[in-house]
Amino acid sequence: MGNYFGGELPGSVANLSTQLRILTLGSNLMHGSIPNDIGNLVNLTSLGLEGNYLGGRVPDGIGKLQKLQGLHLNVNKFSGRIPSSLGNLTSLTKLFMEENMFQGSIPPSLGNCQKLLVLNLSSNRLTGKIPKELIGLSSLSISLSMSNNSLIGSLPSEVGKLVSLGELDVSRNKLTGQIPEALGSCTSLERLHLEGNEFEGTIPLSLMNLRGLEEMDISHNNLSGQIPYFLGKFRVLKELDLSHNNFEGELPKEGIFSNASGILILGNEKLCGGIPQLRLPVCSIKKPHSSRGLRGLKVIIPIACSLPFIIALSYYIAACSMAKRSRGKSVTSRPHEDWKSGFSYSELVQATNGFSADNLIGSGSFGSVYKGVIPSNGATVAIKVFNLQQQGASKSFIDECKALRTIRHRNLLKIVTACSSIDNQGNDFKSLVMEFMENGSLDLWLHRGDNEQPEGKRLSIIQRLNIAIDVASALDYLHNHCEMCIVHCDLKPSNVLLDEDMVAHVGDFGLARFLVEAANNPTTPTPNQTVSVGLKGSIGYIPPEYGMGSQVSILGDVYSYGILLVEMFTGKGPTDDMFKDGLSIHQFTAMALPDHVNDVVEPSLLLETDDEDDDSDKDDAYGNKIQERPTARYKDPGPDKAKRLEECLNSVIQIGISCSAISPGERMLMNVVVNKMNAIRDSYLNLRTGGRRRR
C-alpha cells in the first residue's frame, strides 16, 4: 500500500492462495480492471484497491467473497453498474465505492448486508431512487454517504430505522418531497447533510430529537416556513447552514443562532430579527386587537401630536448628515445590503494616522493594508487601500465588491464596507474596510525568524490541522456553495489571516474569477468549468497548466492549496533556496513518502506532546477555536505514539501531494479534502487523548 506500484493489475491475482485473507494494494498507480475470477479468493476478509487508476466494471464474481468484511474500491475509475452480487457479502462491515464513475441505480440487494457499519457511494453518476432496503439498514452506525450523484425521488421514511447512524449525507442530488418526519428517530446523528436538493415544505418538528447534531446543512433547497426555535436548544451544534431556501419570519437568537460565524442564512429574503451581527431587518410588530378603545386612544393621541416634531427632527438630522458627507467628498459604495455605514476618506485618514507607515501591516496584490482605529466607536479594523496607478487595481476593487455581495462564510475575511472617494490631492481613492485579524497572516507564523518567533509561539500540530481545514472549507464554499462558482486565483499564506482564536480567514479576492455554473446543476460546478484569463497568482503557488496557457479553474486553487498544505507542515516555502535545478517542493516531499516523512516535516512537530493530565476538552473537536498555548511542550512521545504521529503527518503530506499533482485531473476536489482532513484531525485528537475523546 502506498508504494507507487504501477502497471496493470495482473489477472494472476485471482490465482493466489485460497488461504489469503488480506489483499491491500491501495494508494498506488495501478490500472486495468479487477480479474473476473477474483471470487476464487474465498477466504479473503479484506480487499483494498483504493486510490489507483483501476477501471472497467466490477465483476459479479466479487459476490463470492462471502467472508469479506472490508471492501475498498474508492478513488478509482470504475464504471458500469454496481453489481447486485454485492448483496451476497453478508459479512461486510465497510464498503467504500466513492469517487468513481458508477452508473445506474443503487442495487436494493445491498440491504442484505446486515452487518454493514459504513457505506460510501458518493461522487459517482448514480441515478434512480434510494432503495428502501438500503436506507433502512439498521446496522449502519458510522456513516452513510450518497452525495454528489443524481438520485431522484424522496428520502424514504425507512430512514427512521437508522437509529445508530452518526453521519447521513445525501447532499447534491435531485431529491424531492419533504424531509421525512421519521428522520427524527435517528437520535445518534452528529452530521446531517441534505443540501443541494429540491426538498420542500417545513423543517419537521420531529428533528427536535436530534440533540447530538454537530453539523446540519439543509441549504440550497426549496424549504419554507419559520425556522424552529428548538434548533437553538442544541448544545453541541456548531454549524448550521440554512442558506438559499424560502424561510420567513423571526430568526431565533439562542444557541447556534447567537453565533454569527456558525450559521449561514444568505438567500432567505423574508427572514427578520436575529442577533444584530446578522443585520437582518427588524420584524414588524403586529398590532394587537383590543376591546378597550379608550386605552388605544391614550396611546395614539400622544404619538399623533408628537409626529410633526419627529418628522422635523428626522429632516434636520438627515440634512446634517448629508452636509457632513459632502464636506468629506466621500461616496461610499455599499454592494451588499448588510454592510455597515460607510466611512469617509477623512475618517480613514484619522483612523490610520494619515496612513502612517507605523500602521502598515501588509501589502496585497493591488495595494497596502493598514491597521486603523475608527474614531467614532473605537473599533479596530484593517483598511486595504488600492494603488490605482497599478494596472488592473480599479478592476480588482470592483471584483472584490462583486465577490462580497454574494458570499459569506466563517472562514472568509469579512468586509465591513467599501469606500470610493477623493483624497486630499483630488485623486481617486478606493478602499475596503475589513475586520482586523489579531494574529496577522499565516505567512508570519510560518516564516518568522528565530528571534521573532519564540518557541512558545510556534504553531502546534492541532493548530496547523485546524487552519488547513479552515482554508479547505473556505475554498469548498467558493467552489461548490456560492450562487456562482468563484476561483480565488491567489491562495498563499499571506492571504490567510488568523483572528484572536487562531481561526483562519481567507482574504484578498482581487484576482477572484467567477465561473458561470451549468444551468442544469446550479449547486455542483464541474472541475473543468472555466473562463479565459491571463496568468494569475503568485510565484510558487501558480499551477503549471496556467503557465502553459490553460484556462483558470477550481483545480488551480486545489494546486495552490496543496502547496500551502505542504508548506505548513514542512516549514519550507515553494520559493525556498533549496528548490532549484528542477527540484520543486512537490517533488521534495513526494520522494519522502511513505517511509521518510519525518525527514521533511518541521522537526519540532515530531516532538510535540501534551501532558497526560491536560484538559483535552480545551481543544475544540470540530472548530479551531483552540487558544494559543503560553508554552509548547516538547518531549519524546514514545515509540507507539511516534508511529501513529508519523502516520498522521504522512496522511497530511499525501493530501498535499495529491492536491498539487502536475495533472489537474489527478487532484482532489475541495469537498473531498475537507472530509479527509477532518478525519486526520479526529485521528490525531484520539492519539493525544488515548482514545478518550468520542467524536
Side-chain angles (χ1 to χ4, degrees), residues 115-230:
K115 296 182 180 180
L116 203 58
L117 301 176
V118 55
L119 171 62
N120 196 332
L121 302 175
S122 62
S123 299
N124 280 287
R125 300 173 181 177
L126 299 173
T127 56
K129 296 183 177 182
I130 298 175
K132 295 179 180 180
E133 297 85 351
L134 176 60
I135 201 70
L137 194 56
S138 58
S139 62
L140 288 165
S141 59
I142 299 176
S143 175
L144 172 60
S145 179
M146 296 176 279
S147 62
N148 289 294
N149 283 289
S150 297
L151 301 174
I152 61 172
S154 62
L155 183 61
S157 60
E158 282 77 6
V159 70
K161 296 180 181 179
L162 302 177
V163 294
S164 301
L165 189 64
E167 177 182 39
L168 176 63
D169 189 350
V170 294
S171 60
R172 301 185 191 91
N173 280 286
K174 299 178 180 179
L175 299 177
T176 56
Q178 297 189 348
I179 298 174
E181 289 277 350
L183 189 60
S185 299
C186 304
T187 53
S188 298
L189 276 180
E190 297 178 358
R191 291 170 290 278
L192 176 61
H193 287 266
L194 306 177
E195 69 269 19
N197 283 288
E198 299 173 24
F199 289 118
E200 57 188 14
T202 60
I203 298 176
L205 291 178
S206 64
L207 297 194
M208 70 172 62
N209 298 322
L210 307 184
R211 299 182 180 275
L213 276 181
E214 296 180 8
E215 305 168 27
M216 179 176 174
D217 192 341
I218 55 176
S219 62
H220 292 275
N221 279 289
N222 299 316
L223 299 169
S224 57
Q226 290 194 318
I227 296 172
Y229 278 76
F230 65 73

Side-chain angles (χ1 to χ4, degrees), residues 238-241 256 259-264 410:
K238 297 183 178 71
E239 289 192 23
L240 178 60
D241 193 343
I256 185 67
N259 179 11
S261 64
I263 181 172
L264 290 171
R410 62 193 173 278

Side-chain angles (χ1 to χ4, degrees), residues 488-603:
H488 187 282
C489 291
D490 197 20
L491 182 68
K492 56 184 177 180
S494 60
N495 284 339
V496 177
L497 290 307
L498 305 173
D499 66 17
E500 60 182 355
D501 294 323
M502 299 300 287
V503 178
H505 303 257
V506 176
D508 199 343
F509 289 84
L511 296 178
R513 292 296 179 268
F514 300 82
L515 302 182
V516 180
E517 299 175 351
N520 63 344
N521 197 355
T523 61
T524 310
T526 57
N528 58 356
Q529 287 178 303
T530 57
V531 290
S532 180
V533 297
L535 183 62
K536 297 296 182 182
S538 298
I539 300 300
Y541 303 92
I542 303 174
E545 66 268 20
Y546 287 9
M548 295 183 287
S550 294
Q551 295 174 318
V552 165
S553 76
I554 61 176
L555 294 176
D557 279 354
V558 175
Y559 178 89
S560 302
Y561 176 83
I563 297 297
L564 182 143
L565 185 61
V566 170
E567 181 176 1
M568 287 179 62
F569 284 83
T570 63
K572 298 177 175 62
T575 57
D576 192 285
D577 291 340
M578 69 176 294
F579 301 127
K580 55 185 178 181
D581 299 327
L583 178 66
S584 67
I585 188 172
H586 174 92
Q587 295 167 323
F588 171 72
T589 48
M591 289 187 297
L593 294 177
D595 298 323
H596 300 284
V597 68
N598 288 357
D599 296 336
V600 297
V601 298
E602 188 169 314

Side-chain angles (χ1 to χ4, degrees), residues 446-458:
L446 294 177
H447 302 301
R448 289 178 182 171
D450 291 337
N451 294 332
E452 299 177 78
Q453 186 184 31
E455 190 171 271
K457 287 194 175 183
R458 294 185 187 276

Side-chain angles (χ1 to χ4, degrees), residues 9 47 138 181 190 204 224 279 297 303 312 328 332 364 367 398 575 604:
L9 180 65
L47 177 59
S138 58
E181 289 277 350
E190 297 178 358
S224 57
R279 300 181 184 86
L297 288 174
I303 293 177
T332 303
I398 296 171
T575 57
S604 64

Side-chain angles (χ1 to χ4, degrees), residues 241-262:
D241 193 343
L242 306 170
S243 58
H244 299 287
N245 280 288
N246 301 305
F247 293 119
E248 60 184 62
E250 185 173 8
L251 189 72
K253 298 180 182 179
E254 296 181 350
I256 185 67
F257 298 103
S258 66
N259 179 11
S261 64

